Amino acid sequence: QKEVEQDPGPLSVPEGAIVSLNCTYSNSAFQYFMWYRQYSRKGPELLMYTYSSGNKEDGRFTAQVDKSSKYISLFIRDSQPSDSATYLCAMLYNNNDMRFGAGTRLTVKP
Amino acid sequence: DAGITQSPRHKVTETGTPVTLRCHQTENHRYMYWYRQDPGHGLRLIHYSYGVKDTDKGEVSDGYSVSRSKTEDFLLTLESATSSQTSVYFCAISRGGETQYFGPGTRLLVL
C-alpha cells in the first residue's frame, strides 16, 4: 500500500463547476500538507500549504485537512479552462522527506 | 520557476554511459533536492542536500550519486545509465524545508 493515495482521474468538468480533489494517507507522522499544480511538460507549482487540520482559503482554492481521517482535499470554485492541469498532493513529515500522490489530471471544458 | 534552471532540458543516451544533470539556483536557498517523476508513481525523492558538501539519500537513490560544491549548484550523476532510469528529473529548492519550489525538469531517455 502506498503512503499517499490519489485517484489519477482523469476528471473532466464544465467551466464554472466546483472541483473536488482528494488524497488519503497512511502515515500519521505527516505534518505538512501541500497541493501542487503541474501543467503539461512543466515543473510542479506550489498552490497551497497547510500545517494543521481545518480549512485554508486562497482565492478560488480551498485546502482542507482532516488528520483524524488521514484525508486531504482541494476545492476549486468557479473552475476555468486555465485550471486544466495535473494536481499533486504532497505530504511532509520532516524537513526533507516529502511524499507525493500520483496526481489527478483535470480538464475544465469551456 | 523560482530562479531554478536545469540542464540539459532533454537528453538521449545509451545504456551503460555516465550522465550528469545540473541544477542551478539563484535564490541562495539552503536545501536542494532531486526527484524523478514516472507515470503512476508521482514524484520520488532521489537525493537531497542541506548545505555545501552535505547530502543524503532519498527514497530511490540506488544508481544515483550527487554533489554540491557550491550553494547554487547541485549535480545528479547516473554512473552507468540503465533503461529503468528513463524518466523526467526535477530539481527543487527550499529555504527551510517545508515548502519546495521546482525547476522545469530534464527529460532523460536511456536507450
Side-chain angles (χ1 to χ4, degrees), chain B residues 64-101:
Chain B
Y64 302 95
S65 62
V66 290
S67 65
R68 191 170 179 198
S69 58
K70 298 186 287 185
T71 298
E72 58 266 34
D73 289 325
F74 192 31
L75 303 181
L76 176 71
T77 297
L78 290 65
E79 303 289 347
S80 177
T82 67
S83 58
S84 64
Q85 292 176 313
T86 291
S87 187
V88 183
Y89 291 86
F90 287 100
C91 174
I93 63 174
S94 174
R95 190 193 316 273
E98 295 90 4
T99 50
Q100 298 181 16
Y101 301 92

Side-chain angles (χ1 to χ4, degrees), chain A residues 83-94:
Chain A
D83 294 328
S84 298
T86 296
Y87 290 80
L88 305 165
C89 63
M91 306 177 189
L92 192 67
Y93 56 94
N94 59 39

Side-chain angles (χ1 to χ4, degrees), chain A residues 37-57:
Chain A
R37 178 175 62 195
Q38 186 175 23
Y39 291 114
S40 180
R41 305 181 83 84
K42 299 287 188 182
E45 167 194 11
L46 182 65
L47 266 182
M48 301 285 286
Y49 160 66
T50 57
Y51 172 69
S52 58
S53 284
N55 292 353
K56 181 177 181 179
E57 193 171 313

Side-chain angles (χ1 to χ4, degrees), chain A residues 2 36 38 41 43 92 95-96, chain B residues 31 33 37 40 45 96-97 100:
Chain A
K2 293 181 181 178
Y36 284 84
Q38 186 175 23
R41 305 181 83 84
L92 192 67
N95 276 358
N96 299 296
Chain B
Y31 296 89
Y33 310 81
Q37 186 174 36
L45 182 65
Q100 298 181 16

Side-chain angles (χ1 to χ4, degrees), chain B residues 3 8 11 19 21 27 34 37 41 45-46 51 61 69 75 81 85 90 97 99 106 108:
Chain B
K11 186 168 182 67
V19 176
L21 309 182
E27 306 294 325
W34 276 109
Q37 186 174 36
H41 290 279
L45 182 65
I46 304 171
S61 60
S69 58
L75 303 181
Q85 292 176 313
F90 287 100
T99 50
T106 293
L108 176 67

Side-chain angles (χ1 to χ4, degrees), chain A residues 96-97 99, chain B residues 34 45-50 54-66 74:
Chain A
N96 299 296
D97 207 339
R99 302 300 169 107
Chain B
W34 276 109
L45 182 65
I46 304 171
H47 281 281
Y48 66 94
S49 169
Y50 46 96
D54 293 323
T55 65
D56 207 347
K57 295 179 180 180
E59 186 184 359
V60 290
S61 60
D62 287 348
Y64 302 95
S65 62
V66 290
F74 192 31

